[in-house]
Structure formats: structure tokens, C-alpha cells
Amino acid sequence: MTCARPEDGSRIWRSPEGVHIDVRGLEPPEPMVEILRMIDRGEVDSVLIAHLDRDPIFLYPELEDRGWSHEVMDPSCWARDGTDGVIVRIVRCNP
């Protein structure tokens, strides 16, 4: 998985795995708001990979209500850039 944020500092990028959004450093509820905004606007076809500071427990019911599932990923790929956090893979249930 391509976990590292682009060198240009972009918060949103694409990789073969899907669209990534890095919301680390944002104060709650902004990470959830940004993720839901992308989904609600149709900016993601089927897979969104969210990079967060903490487990977004309030996000999960909102995703389910919108027809998306989630999977918390192994953040070990972040070890390369010295950061930590949570990676959540969000998938549209019925694309």
C-alpha cells in the first residue's frame, strides 16, 4: 500500500489502492466531516483510505448509514515516515 503522503503536502491523493485522504492533525469533528464530505459529494468511486490520528468511532455508523463499510488497516507502513495513527479502508458496499 502507498501510505506516505505526497511530498507536495497534499491531503488527498490517488494510488492503485484507491483515493487517500490524510486528516491527521485536524481537530474533531473535522476528520469525520472531511471524509463524509468526500463521500457525499461523490468524489470517491469505491475505495477511500483515510489516514487519521485516532480510531474514528463516530464515523462508522455514519458510513453504514450511507452504504459504506470499513476496515481498520495495519499502520506498519507508516513506520517509514515516522508517523503513527490509524488507517481506515472505506469501501462502498454496492457501487
Side-chain angles (χ1 to χ4, degrees):
M1 180 188 294
T2 308
C3 295
R5 189 170 171 178
E7 291 182 17
D8 68 3
S10 299
R11 284 197 175 271
I12 299 171
W13 69 96
R14 293 188 181 272
S15 76
E17 294 86 11
V19 176
H20 294 252
I21 183 169
D22 187 339
V23 291
R24 294 176 289 174
L26 298 179
E27 292 295 320
E30 281 303 307
M32 181 171 78
V33 169
E34 290 297 317
I35 291 166
L36 293 176
R37 186 177 295 144
M38 285 189 74
I39 288 171
D40 291 344
R41 289 183 179 169
E43 296 176 23
V44 180
D45 294 330
S46 59
V47 178
L48 176 63
I49 301 165
H51 302 253
L52 304 112
D53 289 316
R54 62 191 64 80
D55 191 15
I57 59 171
F58 298 111
L59 174 64
Y60 301 143
E62 296 292 331
L63 292 172
E64 185 176 322
D65 288 347
R66 288 165 168 81
W68 292 71
S69 65
H70 74 278
E71 172 188 9
V72 178
M73 307 294 291
D74 179 1
S76 63
C77 62
W78 281 9
R80 289 177 285 161
D81 66 8
T83 60
D84 57 5
V86 176
I87 299 174
V88 179
R89 184 173 182 264
I90 302 167
V91 179
R92 185 186 307 254
C93 293
N94 296 314

